[in-house]
Amino acid sequence: MDNFAAPWYSLDWFSLSSFKAYTWDNPSFLYALVAVPFLFLFRWLWRYRFNQKLPVAVTQKDLRVSPLTLIRLLPEFFLMLALALIVVALARPQKSNEKVEQWTEGIDIMIGLDISQSMKIEDFSPDRLEAAKGVARDFISGRVQDRIGIVVFSGDAFSLAPLTTDYDLLKSYLNEISFEMIENRGTAIGSALAVVTNRMSESESKSKVCILLSDGDNNGGNIDPITAAELAAAYGIKIYTIVVGKEGQVPYGKDFFGRPMMIDNTVDETTMRRIAKIGGGEFFRATDNKALSQVFARIDQFEKAEIKETRFKDTTDYYFIYLQWAIGFFLLWLLMKSTFLSNVLQD
């Protein structure tokens, strides 16, 4: 029989298996159970010592001890049980359906995503930006308890999403990212780092990380990328930089007949390498979707601050069961206290 499905008046609530299954919200109250019998023993001794006694002369043959005389103690016994059960109720017995132990991470991560026109190049499938959005979604899905934010940049930079653990919201923001979000053309890497630093400057996390993804050429904004990297490093932000794209002939759009048009593409890694070095992170180069996924997977493994978390799910209280029993025994005490079972001379 499932003890926890029994009615409140069932004796199963007092079985050893039931008490072993409980977790106690206020376990310190259980120590008071030891004091309950001593309290009543003290009460009986007090009454025996100080209550009125009447001298009565009886013969030796009338001094007989009968088990029936012990019935007089029943009211006190019921009162003691009521008090003990109130103490159990105050300890608040509970049962949880599931105990979960897992390793969680508590890192603040800002993703800086380049949405400049060069991210339309189709050396990634379907293009650089969509590939970056896809691996960013997978990266977010793989994190637990981390606060993540998003900064987008081209000729200017702005914070698209603040640091949050609402991963569904972050993914919806990623889906909405487009090349038209910023009018100014260019790639303002320094401005992006400045916005990241501003977002993370008040963070109290022990680990602050920026993942900066771009095609590598800084040609916009009014903040020097190296200066911005030094400022970020001063706030304890570790910077990982990812340069995407192939060099040489790459597809960019289609011609009148639907055939891919090819353009010359160069990649400047110098600035991004220096930024990663200043920020104490690493520089990565990705030339296709698979390589980009591998880069994010490596960063995911690097940045883990593991904390053991124990959680209980679906907690149910059972204190009211013992409170009902206590009320029942208390009412029995009141009833018996007013009957012949009580010693009226002592009361």
Side-chain angles (χ1 to χ4, degrees):
M1 178 180 178
D2 184 1
N3 294 1
F4 297 97
W8 73 269
Y9 49 81
S10 171
L11 293 178
D12 289 329
W13 295 105
F14 299 95
S15 68
L16 184 62
S17 61
S18 293
F19 279 85
K20 283 184 176 179
Y22 286 139
T23 56
W24 302 87
D25 192 46
N26 303 307
S28 56
F29 278 100
L30 294 175
Y31 293 109
L33 284 175
V34 180
V36 172
F38 292 100
L39 178 64
F40 278 84
L41 179 61
F42 177 78
R43 184 167 181 259
W44 290 333
L45 292 173
W46 180 272
R47 289 171 60 177
Y48 178 79
R49 174 69 178 80
F50 294 103
N51 277 17
Q52 181 183 6
K53 297 180 178 63
L54 296 178
V56 178
V58 293
T59 61
Q60 183 67 32
K61 66 178 181 179
D62 293 326
L63 293 174
R64 296 192 305 270
V65 177
S66 171
L68 292 176
T69 60
L70 298 177
I71 296 178
R72 182 170 56 85
L73 301 177
L74 274 178
E76 294 292 320
F77 179 70
F78 285 140
L79 181 59
M80 183 175 68
L81 282 178
L83 182 58
L85 288 168
I86 289 173
V87 171
V88 171
L90 288 172
R92 197 166 181 176
Q94 300 174 332
K95 185 173 183 296
S96 300
N97 290 337
E98 184 181 2
K99 180 181 178 180
V100 179
E101 289 187 354
Q102 65 179 14
W103 293 96
T104 61
E105 298 140 18
I107 298 173
D108 283 353
I109 302 173
M110 290 295 297
I111 299 175
L113 191 57
D114 186 351
I115 61 170
S116 62
Q117 295 299 304
S118 58
M119 294 293 285
K120 287 183 178 181
I121 294 176
E122 298 169 358
D123 50 355
F124 286 71
S125 177
D127 59 38
R128 293 177 178 178
L129 179 59
E130 290 302 319
K133 288 162 59 175
V135 294
R137 275 191 293 269
D138 293 339
F139 177 80
I140 291 170
S141 297
R143 308 301 290 186
V144 181
Q145 297 295 329
D146 293 329
R147 294 198 308 166
I148 302 176
I150 302 172
V151 169
V152 293
F153 63 97
S154 58
D156 290 320
F158 74 90
S159 176
L160 181 65
L163 290 167
T164 179
T165 56
D166 188 343
Y167 298 155
D168 289 334
L169 178 65
L170 289 171
K171 291 174 186 177
S172 69
Y173 278 136
L174 280 172
N175 292 336
E176 295 171 1
I177 291 177
S178 67
F179 297 102
E180 290 73 32
M181 297 185 80
I182 299 176
E183 292 184 1
N184 290 347
R185 301 306 182 192
T187 306
I189 295 175
S191 298
L193 285 172
V195 174
V196 167
T197 303
N198 182 53
R199 274 297 185 186
M200 305 186 85
S201 60
E202 297 181 1
S203 170
E204 297 180 358
S205 175
K206 292 183 179 180
S207 184
K208 294 179 281 188
V209 175
C210 170
I211 301 174
L212 185 66
L213 187 147
S214 175
D215 56 13
D217 294 323
N218 179 75
N219 53 20
N222 51 11
I223 301 175
D224 178 61
I226 304 305
T227 302
E230 291 171 346
L231 179 62
Y235 278 97
I237 302 171
K238 182 186 288 187
I239 306 172
Y240 292 96
T241 58
I242 305 172
V243 169
V244 296
K246 299 176 181 177
E247 292 188 281
Q249 291 284 306
V250 292
Y252 184 82
K254 292 180 172 54
D255 61 18
F256 179 78
F257 299 101
R259 294 173 300 188
M261 295 188 296
M262 306 300 288
I263 62 171
D264 285 323
N265 183 65
T266 58
V267 177
D268 179 15
E269 300 179 357
T270 306
T271 301
M272 297 287 271
R273 285 184 180 276
R274 289 187 62 189
I275 290 172
K277 184 176 180 180
I278 292 169
E282 287 194 31
F283 167 83
F284 298 96
R285 175 76 185 276
T287 57
D288 55 34
N289 294 60
K290 182 179 180 180
L292 185 58
S293 297
Q294 291 173 344
V295 167
F296 268 85
R298 287 185 63 184
I299 295 173
D300 184 56
Q301 292 299 315
F302 290 156
E303 295 302 326
K304 288 185 181 294
E306 295 183 326
I307 304 167
K308 189 175 183 180
E309 180 187 58
T310 301
R311 296 184 292 110
F312 292 90
K313 293 183 178 180
D314 299 328
T315 300
T316 304
D317 282 304
Y318 291 99
Y319 69 89
F320 60 90
I321 299 290
Y322 301 95
L323 196 57
Q324 287 173 295
W325 275 95
I327 293 171
F329 283 121
F330 182 75
L331 292 176
L332 276 175
W333 173 73
L334 287 178
L335 180 64
M336 289 184 158
K337 189 174 183 295
S338 304
T339 67
F340 68 92
L341 292 175
S342 295
N343 187 336
V344 294
L345 294 178
Q346 289 185 346
D347 292 340

